[in-house]
Amino acid sequence: MPLGLVGTAYCELNNQKMKPNSLSEAIIREQLQSIQDPYLGLDLIAAKIVKKIDLSDTKVSIVLKFGYPVQEAHPVIQTISKILEPLLGDVALQITSSWKVNPHAAQNGLKPVANIKNIIAVASGKGGVGKSTTAINLALGISVLGARVGLLDADIYGPSQPHMLGTKEKPALREDKRLEPIVKYDLQTMSMGYLVDDGPMVWRGPMVSTALQQLLNETAWDNLDYLIVDLPPGTGDIQLTLAQKIPVAAAVIVTTPQEVALLDAKKALMMFKKLGISIVGIIENMSTHICTECGHHEAIFGVGGGEKLATEFEIPLLAKLPLDSRIQQQSDAGRPSIVEEPEGSIAQLYHELALQVTAKLSLQARDYTVASPRLVE
Ligand code: ADP
């Protein structure tokens, strides 16, 4: 039925009875302004997600474009339908959504690496807090959203990603002398663990720096939206190389809630801040223990540590991930939780984390030195 003829159907708008035929672009815009994107923390108009509103006699069309990967089930798309449908009477609502990942500016004006739009570093102050596990599941979570994702294991001394990915494949050397990344679970991956046999790795500081840069620059990454870099723990040579030579669009810090872990996480945060790397947020891992027998949640490492750190540094707490034996078992079996139980509750938490990280990064300044969306050498 044409918009102007929906005379008999009345509906609620701001608690006032009004005819749908009084619908206008301004009213729709006003409604969209009342909807928050939960990952960006902004309304749809302020976030510049709404690209077009079209009204015809029979249809309202809304075109949305996100700066981070979203799927049809995105809560914003569902909320728009819920809020607008009662206002439309018989008029159809069409929501078209798309997304495009832009390259975002890195620290100190460092130039982007060919074929990588954004590098996201996953760091921690201490070892054993679950940084590598989180990095791999974050990478997989972003990939499931549809983006092109790579994972670089920057732990030159003790690479763990090959084990967690369940692969020992050797990367092929291409004619141009670059390494072909190992593609596993749709991720393009590279690790020192692929190149050297098991056993202790003895490196001098400068060699580690060079090795990291080589792994990054001499891998033939194929048009990545995001490269997740799994850093070793602490604030040593590798972190310094990363800060000085590698264009990092954003870093996330993984910590557990105990005071000892938080103290080290704070040091890592301070280091990144000082070196000009943008920190998109904190991830609290092993937040509560979930009992496999009864499902009871217990905060064995204390409560509120992640929140405290986030408040102190005025950055978001992106996720609180449980201490769950399935995460450990799946990861040790080379099948990360998102792969092993893609519809499970743990995978859901990592999907949310992926949205949080990519959405927060999309709010940062863009790198306009990259003329085309896909960098080609
Ligand atoms: P890091 O990179 O900080 O040294 P890892 O990711 O290697 O830590 O994790 C250390 C151990 O803890 C691994 O055995 C891993 O499977 C396990 N682990 C990590 N996160 C969790 C979690 N949320 N629940 C249960 N086990 C976890």
Coordinates of all heavy atoms in Angstrom, one line a residue, residues 89-137:
G89 N 3.3 0.5 9.1 CA 2.0 0.0 8.6 C 2.4 -1.1 7.6 O 3.1 -2.0 7.8
D90 N 1.8 -1.0 6.4 CA 2.0 -2.0 5.3 C 3.2 -1.7 4.5 O 3.5 -2.4 3.5 CB 0.8 -2.0 4.4 CG -0.4 -2.6 5.1 OD1 -0.2 -3.3 6.1 OD2 -1.5 -2.4 4.7
V91 N 3.9 -0.6 4.8 CA 5.1 -0.2 4.0 C 6.2 -1.2 4.3 O 6.5 -1.5 5.4 CB 5.4 1.2 4.3 CG1 6.8 1.6 3.6 CG2 4.3 2.1 3.8
A92 N 6.9 -1.6 3.3 CA 8.0 -2.6 3.5 C 9.3 -1.9 3.9 O 9.5 -0.7 3.6 CB 8.3 -3.3 2.1
L93 N 10.0 -2.6 4.7 CA 11.3 -2.0 5.2 C 12.4 -2.9 4.6 O 12.5 -4.1 4.7 CB 11.4 -2.1 6.7 CG 12.7 -1.7 7.3 CD1 13.1 -0.3 7.1 CD2 12.7 -2.0 8.8
Q94 N 13.4 -2.2 3.9 CA 14.5 -2.9 3.3 C 15.8 -2.3 3.9 O 16.0 -1.1 3.8 CB 14.5 -2.7 1.8 CG 15.6 -3.5 1.2 CD 15.7 -3.3 -0.3 OE1 15.7 -2.2 -0.8 NE2 15.7 -4.4 -1.1
I95 N 16.5 -3.2 4.6 CA 17.8 -2.7 5.2 C 18.9 -3.4 4.4 O 19.0 -4.7 4.3 CB 17.9 -3.1 6.7 CG1 16.7 -2.5 7.4 CG2 19.2 -2.6 7.3 CD1 16.6 -3.0 8.9
T96 N 19.8 -2.6 3.8 CA 20.9 -3.2 3.1 C 22.2 -2.8 3.9 O 22.4 -1.7 4.1 CB 21.0 -2.6 1.7 OG1 19.7 -2.6 1.1 CG2 22.0 -3.3 0.8
S97 N 22.9 -3.9 4.2 CA 24.1 -3.5 5.0 C 25.4 -4.1 4.3 O 25.3 -5.2 3.7 CB 24.0 -4.0 6.4 OG 24.2 -5.4 6.5
S98 N 26.4 -3.4 4.4 CA 27.7 -3.9 3.9 C 28.8 -3.4 4.9 O 28.5 -2.6 5.8 CB 28.0 -3.4 2.5 OG 28.1 -2.0 2.5
W99 N 30.0 -3.8 4.7 CA 31.1 -3.3 5.5 C 32.4 -3.3 4.7 O 32.5 -4.0 3.7 CB 31.3 -4.2 6.7 CG 31.5 -5.7 6.5 CD1 30.5 -6.6 6.5 CD2 32.7 -6.4 6.2 NE1 31.0 -7.8 6.2 CE2 32.4 -7.7 6.0 CE3 34.1 -6.0 6.1 CZ2 33.3 -8.7 5.8 CZ3 35.0 -7.0 5.8 CH2 34.7 -8.3 5.7
K100 N 33.3 -2.4 5.1 CA 34.6 -2.4 4.4 C 35.6 -2.0 5.5 O 35.4 -1.0 6.3 CB 34.6 -1.3 3.3 CG 35.9 -1.3 2.5 CD 35.8 -0.3 1.4 CE 36.9 0.7 1.6 NZ 36.8 1.9 0.8
V101 N 36.7 -2.8 5.6 CA 37.7 -2.4 6.6 C 38.7 -1.5 5.9 O 39.2 -1.7 4.8 CB 38.5 -3.7 7.0 CG1 39.6 -3.4 7.9 CG2 37.5 -4.7 7.6
N102 N 38.9 -0.3 6.6 CA 39.8 0.7 6.1 C 41.2 0.5 6.8 O 41.2 0.0 7.9 CB 39.3 2.1 6.4 CG 38.1 2.4 5.5 OD1 38.1 2.2 4.3 ND2 37.0 2.7 6.2
P103 N 42.3 0.9 6.1 CA 43.5 0.9 6.8 C 43.5 2.1 7.9 O 43.1 3.2 7.5 CB 44.6 1.2 5.7 CG 43.8 1.3 4.5 CD 42.4 1.4 4.7
H104 N 44.0 1.8 9.1 CA 44.0 2.8 10.1 C 45.5 3.2 10.4 O 46.4 2.4 10.3 CB 43.3 2.3 11.3 CG 41.8 2.2 11.1 ND1 41.0 3.2 11.2 CD2 41.1 1.1 10.7 CE1 39.7 2.8 10.8 NE2 39.8 1.5 10.5
A105 N 45.6 4.5 10.8 CA 47.0 5.0 11.0 C 47.7 4.3 12.1 O 47.1 3.9 13.1 CB 46.9 6.5 11.3
A106 N 49.0 4.1 11.9 CA 49.8 3.4 12.9 C 50.7 4.4 13.7 O 50.6 5.6 13.4 CB 50.8 2.4 12.2
Q107 N 51.4 3.9 14.6 CA 52.2 4.8 15.5 C 53.3 5.6 14.7 O 53.9 5.0 13.8 CB 52.8 4.1 16.7 CG 54.1 3.2 16.4 CD 53.8 1.9 15.8 OE1 52.7 1.7 15.1 NE2 54.7 1.0 15.9
N108 N 53.5 6.8 15.1 CA 54.6 7.6 14.6 C 54.7 7.6 13.0 O 55.8 7.7 12.5 CB 56.0 7.1 15.1 CG 56.0 7.0 16.6 OD1 55.4 7.8 17.3 ND2 56.5 5.9 17.2
G109 N 53.6 7.6 12.4 CA 53.5 7.7 10.9 C 54.2 6.6 10.2 O 54.6 6.7 9.0
L110 N 54.4 5.4 10.8 CA 55.1 4.3 10.1 C 54.2 3.9 8.9 O 53.0 3.8 9.0 CB 55.2 3.1 11.1 CG 56.4 3.2 12.1 CD1 56.4 2.0 13.0 CD2 57.7 3.2 11.4
K111 N 54.9 3.6 7.8 CA 54.2 3.2 6.6 C 53.6 1.8 6.7 O 54.2 0.9 7.3 CB 55.2 3.2 5.4 CG 55.8 4.6 5.1 CD 55.1 5.1 3.8 CE 55.3 6.6 3.5 NZ 55.9 7.4 4.5
P112 N 52.5 1.6 6.0 CA 51.9 0.3 6.1 C 52.7 -0.8 5.4 O 53.5 -0.5 4.5 CB 50.5 0.4 5.3 CG 50.5 1.8 4.8 CD 51.7 2.6 5.3
V113 N 52.5 -2.1 5.8 CA 53.2 -3.2 5.2 C 52.3 -3.6 4.0 O 51.1 -3.6 4.1 CB 53.4 -4.3 6.2 CG1 54.0 -5.6 5.5 CG2 54.2 -3.9 7.4
A114 N 53.0 -3.9 2.9 CA 52.2 -4.3 1.7 C 51.3 -5.5 2.0 O 51.6 -6.4 2.7 CB 53.2 -4.8 0.6
N115 N 50.1 -5.3 1.5 CA 49.0 -6.4 1.6 C 48.4 -6.6 3.0 O 47.8 -7.6 3.2 CB 49.5 -7.7 1.1 CG 49.6 -7.7 -0.5 OD1 48.7 -7.2 -1.1 ND2 50.7 -8.1 -1.0
I116 N 48.7 -5.6 3.9 CA 48.1 -5.7 5.2 C 47.5 -4.4 5.6 O 48.2 -3.4 5.6 CB 49.2 -6.1 6.3 CG1 49.9 -7.3 6.0 CG2 48.5 -6.2 7.7 CD1 51.1 -7.6 6.9
K117 N 46.2 -4.4 5.7 CA 45.6 -3.1 6.1 C 45.8 -2.7 7.5 O 46.1 -1.5 7.8 CB 44.1 -3.2 5.8 CG 43.6 -3.1 4.4 CD 42.1 -3.0 4.4 CE 41.6 -3.4 3.0 NZ 40.1 -3.5 3.1
N118 N 45.7 -3.6 8.4 CA 45.8 -3.3 9.9 C 46.5 -4.4 10.6 O 46.2 -5.5 10.5 CB 44.4 -3.1 10.5 CG 43.6 -2.0 9.9 OD1 43.9 -0.8 10.1 ND2 42.6 -2.3 9.1
I119 N 47.5 -3.9 11.4 CA 48.2 -4.9 12.3 C 47.7 -4.7 13.7 O 47.6 -3.6 14.2 CB 49.7 -4.7 12.2 CG1 50.2 -5.1 10.8 CG2 50.4 -5.5 13.3 CD1 51.7 -5.0 10.6
I120 N 47.2 -5.8 14.3 CA 46.7 -5.7 15.7 C 47.6 -6.6 16.6 O 47.8 -7.8 16.3 CB 45.3 -6.2 15.8 CG1 44.3 -5.4 14.9 CG2 44.8 -6.2 17.3 CD1 42.9 -6.0 14.9
A121 N 48.3 -6.0 17.5 CA 49.2 -6.7 18.4 C 48.5 -7.2 19.6 O 47.7 -6.5 20.3 CB 50.4 -5.8 18.8
V122 N 48.7 -8.5 20.0 CA 48.1 -9.0 21.2 C 49.3 -9.2 22.2 O 50.2 -10.0 21.9 CB 47.4 -10.4 20.9 CG1 46.8 -10.9 22.2 CG2 46.2 -10.2 19.9
A123 N 49.2 -8.5 23.3 CA 50.3 -8.5 24.2 C 49.9 -8.8 25.6 O 48.7 -8.8 25.9 CB 50.9 -7.1 24.2
S124 N 50.9 -9.1 26.5 CA 50.6 -9.4 27.9 C 51.8 -9.0 28.7 O 53.0 -9.0 28.1 CB 50.2 -10.8 28.1 OG 51.4 -11.6 28.0
G125 N 51.7 -8.8 30.0 CA 52.8 -8.5 30.8 C 53.5 -9.7 31.2 O 54.7 -9.8 31.2
K126 N 52.7 -10.8 31.5 CA 53.2 -12.0 32.0 C 53.0 -13.2 31.0 O 52.0 -13.1 30.3 CB 52.4 -12.3 33.3 CG 53.1 -12.2 34.5 CD 52.4 -12.9 35.7 CE 53.2 -12.8 36.9 NZ 54.6 -12.3 36.9
G127 N 53.8 -14.2 31.2 CA 53.5 -15.4 30.4 C 52.4 -16.3 31.1 O 52.2 -16.1 32.3
G128 N 51.8 -17.1 30.3 CA 50.8 -18.0 30.9 C 49.4 -17.5 31.2 O 48.6 -18.1 31.8
V129 N 49.2 -16.2 30.8 CA 47.9 -15.6 31.0 C 46.8 -16.0 30.0 O 45.7 -15.6 30.0 CB 47.9 -14.1 31.2 CG1 48.8 -13.7 32.4 CG2 48.4 -13.4 29.9
G130 N 47.3 -16.7 28.9 CA 46.4 -17.1 27.8 C 46.4 -16.2 26.7 O 45.5 -16.1 25.9
K131 N 47.5 -15.4 26.5 CA 47.7 -14.5 25.4 C 47.6 -15.2 24.0 O 46.8 -14.8 23.1 CB 49.0 -13.7 25.5 CG 49.3 -12.8 24.3 CD 50.7 -12.3 24.5 CE 51.7 -13.3 24.9 NZ 51.8 -14.5 24.0
S132 N 48.4 -16.3 23.8 CA 48.4 -16.9 22.5 C 47.0 -17.6 22.2 O 46.6 -17.5 21.1 CB 49.5 -18.0 22.5 OG 50.7 -17.4 22.6
T133 N 46.4 -18.2 23.3 CA 45.1 -18.8 23.1 C 44.1 -17.7 22.7 O 43.3 -17.9 21.8 CB 44.7 -19.4 24.4 OG1 45.7 -20.2 24.9 CG2 43.4 -20.2 24.3
T134 N 44.2 -16.6 23.3 CA 43.3 -15.5 23.0 C 43.5 -14.9 21.6 O 42.6 -14.7 20.8 CB 43.4 -14.4 24.0 OG1 43.2 -14.9 25.3 CG2 42.3 -13.3 23.8
A135 N 44.8 -14.8 21.2 CA 45.2 -14.3 19.9 C 44.6 -15.1 18.8 O 44.1 -14.6 17.8 CB 46.7 -14.1 19.8
I136 N 44.8 -16.4 19.0 CA 44.3 -17.3 17.9 C 42.8 -17.3 17.8 O 42.2 -17.3 16.7 CB 44.9 -18.8 18.2 CG1 44.9 -19.6 16.9 CG2 44.1 -19.5 19.2 CD1 45.7 -20.9 17.1
N137 N 42.1 -17.3 18.9 CA 40.7 -17.3 18.9 C 40.1 -15.9 18.4 O 39.1 -15.9 17.8 CB 40.1 -17.7 20.2 CG 40.1 -19.2 20.4 OD1 39.4 -19.9 19.7 ND2 40.9 -19.7 21.3

